[in-house]
Amino acid sequence: MSRFRGYRYGAWHGGPDPLEPPFDVRRALDEIGDDVLNGSSPSEALRRLLQQGANGLRGLDDLRRKVRQRARTARRRGRLDGTLEQVKQLLDRALAAERRELFPDPSDAARLAEAELDALPTDPARAVRELSDYRWRSDEARRAYHEIKDLLRREVLDSQFRGMRDALRGATPEDIARVREMVAALNDMLEADARGEHTQEQFDRFMEQYGDFFPERPENLAELVDALARRAAAQQRLLDSLSDAQRQELSDLMAGALGDAGLAAELDRLQQQLRAARPDLRWGGRERMEGDRPLGLGDATGALQEVADLDELDSMLDQDYPGATLDDVDPELVERALGRQAVDDLEALRRVERELQRQGYLNRSGGALELTPRAVRRLGATALRRVFAVLESPGRGSHEVRDAGAAGEPTGASRAWEYGDEQPLEVVRTVRNAIIRSATRGPVPRSRPTRGRVRLAVEDFEVVETERRTSAAVALLVDLSYSMALRGTWGAAKSTALALHSLVTTRFPQDAIEIIGFSNYARTISQVELAGLSWDMVQGTNLQHGLMLARRHLDRHRQSEPVILVVTDGEPTAHLARDGRAEFAWPPLPETLALTLAEVERCTRRGATINVFMLDQEPALVRFVDELARRNGGRVFSPRPERLGEYVVSDYLHARRGRRAG
């Protein structure tokens, strides 16, 4: 830290550093794009990215593996009945020492005492309770019996308040009284909070007086309740995990120990209030623990609490629920389970997710993630680059399109530039106009005069007059039926549609393209919707409806040359009935084939060429497509799925060259 002219300089502590360069998420976006182009939805793609990691960061899958490893270790920590075993050992030691003391004594009182010991119940809880008024003759036995009471009291309190077992070792009656006062004050504070009367000042006073009982050092009542409720829920699951006999024994021992200390009523009151404050926790159910080491009540409760926290963290990191976001993951749970480095890794992944939205690539709508138009444009360009990378490979020639769009061959004339013109500038005439204007009306005003320079104004610009090129109306029909996913062809169809849409809209803007998806019904699909689209989990290939929508698109662009491209892997199996509902049948009904071919005839009379790209060689599909081509005069292609984009884009470019030549 340094001072300079009254200013102080130091590390930034106000959140994200405002001077830090913008976070580059292009690699992450491209990885998401690869998954989307392979058929995933944006939500699935982002989830896979975060699971596998990005930009060299550990992903959620790696963190989950470590969480599950920790959970397995916690479950192998030992048995849950350790306190019962300790009580039995201490009780046996006390009885053995007392009998050794009584044996040499020939008096009737010694025989009566032995008979009393022999008549004790086999249940340790009842035996301990019945011995509460017994007058011990052996000092060793008396110490062992009082150690049972001390052990139970400390273990029970430790199962509710972490660290209490060690803090109360050798506790005096005054120490127990202070614990009783703390629990009563805590209950009063929780009741005030339930009435809406709790204040932070009340909590601060409580912590000032009893803060040594809470090593977690909570900063407010909510944090304290969370810690206590999680431990109380784990204690209840511990009891549920014991056998009926063990549960009864332990409950009786706990009741006896707490009753002697005057704590039973207050702890029962606390348990009820914690349940009311955190009903979302799992307040019951059996847990499976492994290992041979007997665990005391406090250690067993801690192990079950750790298992519950790890299971909860595992679910958070899985992100397998609607609207899941990394903001749902509790960094405190992560740090307790995996350490500080895991929190940093999580924050880096959270930043990737956050920056993708902040920089305008992803939107969250109704809990679902959607690609923005900006991201979809980049995605379409990526798909198109993939196609051209294949088309321009050695031996295939170049298919790069370098014209600006609507401009055609120059006519030799020029005209004044208008807003929206894409024709090349006529530089000589533009400069000539500026010189003439400067000579007649003076130069364009500016703050600093120049010598020997020509200043251009908007009115000076002229563009080269070109012939108008023929435009095309293109309808790309993409099969969305269930079979596309089963055969693994949906990703190729989706990527092809995005590539063609990008090509038409960016390099041939005079052409009109419409993407039409068809399964049991057909529908038009925007570029943004297409990027986030998955196949339809329905049966039916309603090509008839798709051709109807394609014909409507062509009718809206009657001055353009009509082109229909169909990508499918199956023959038509659905058609629209008279009431407008889709009717599906397999094998296809003769009516379905007849209505579909009738729609082919209408498109043919409209002058549209229908080129079909078959993604399967099923004989029925081949027969249908051959009949379609015979009636329409279009072409049939049978590409492998990975070469579909190459075929479709090449066919479109071939058709454009044919029109220019004509």
Side-chain angles (χ1 to χ4, degrees), residues 124-140:
R126 291 172 59 195
V128 170
R129 186 166 60 249
E130 291 190 14
L131 287 169
S132 59
D133 296 327
Y134 180 80
R135 299 184 62 179
W136 299 93
R137 300 190 183 191
S138 166
D139 292 338
E140 180 185 354

Side-chain angles (χ1 to χ4, degrees), residues 431-456:
V431 175
R432 177 175 175 272
N433 292 341
I435 293 173
I436 294 174
R437 178 187 46 73
S438 298
T440 57
R441 289 184 290 170
V444 177
R446 58 177 295 167
S447 57
R448 296 177 61 186
T450 58
R451 296 180 181 178
R453 295 183 182 178
V454 177
R455 298 293 299 171
L456 299 178

Side-chain angles (χ1 to χ4, degrees), residues 540-559:
T541 304
N542 197 338
L543 181 58
Q544 176 218 13
H545 194 194
L547 291 172
M548 290 172 62
L549 297 184
R551 191 158 47 81
R552 292 176 191 173
H553 171 63
L554 302 182
D555 288 343
R556 290 193 295 269
H557 303 277
R558 287 193 169 273
Q559 302 305 315

Side-chain angles (χ1 to χ4, degrees), residues 138-250:
S138 166
D139 292 338
E140 180 185 354
R142 185 183 303 106
R143 285 193 300 270
Y145 179 77
H146 287 304
E147 191 175 340
I148 292 174
K149 295 282 191 177
D150 181 63
L151 169 71
L152 287 171
R153 187 168 51 238
R154 289 187 295 112
E155 288 287 0
V156 170
L157 289 173
D158 192 58
S159 68
Q160 180 62 76
F161 305 97
R162 184 169 65 88
M164 197 70 88
R165 180 184 55 201
D166 296 329
L168 292 181
R169 190 180 298 276
T172 64
E174 291 76 16
D175 294 330
I176 301 302
R178 184 166 178 263
V179 172
R180 190 165 54 247
E181 293 170 1
M182 179 273 291
V183 179
L186 175 58
N187 279 321
D188 292 342
M189 188 165 56
L190 290 174
E191 288 179 351
D193 183 61
R195 296 191 303 269
E197 300 172 1
H198 171 71
T199 64
Q200 182 64 31
E201 290 76 14
Q202 182 182 3
F203 176 80
D204 293 339
R205 287 196 302 271
F206 175 84
M207 290 299 294
E208 183 177 351
Q209 188 172 2
Y210 301 111
D212 54 308
F213 288 116
F214 305 100
E216 303 92 347
R217 304 304 301 174
E219 296 184 358
N220 50 55
L221 183 59
E223 292 185 8
L224 177 59
V225 167
D226 181 71
L228 293 178
R230 288 177 181 275
R231 198 160 181 87
Q235 182 196 74
Q236 184 59 55
R237 291 196 303 278
L238 184 153
L239 291 172
D240 290 348
S241 301
L242 298 173
S243 69
D244 292 341
Q246 289 175 327
R247 186 183 313 113
Q248 188 61 52
E249 278 187 43
L250 187 57

Side-chain angles (χ1 to χ4, degrees), residues 139 253 330 349 504 560 646:
D139 292 338
L253 288 169
D330 187 347
L349 289 174
V504 173
S560 302
E646 171 193 347

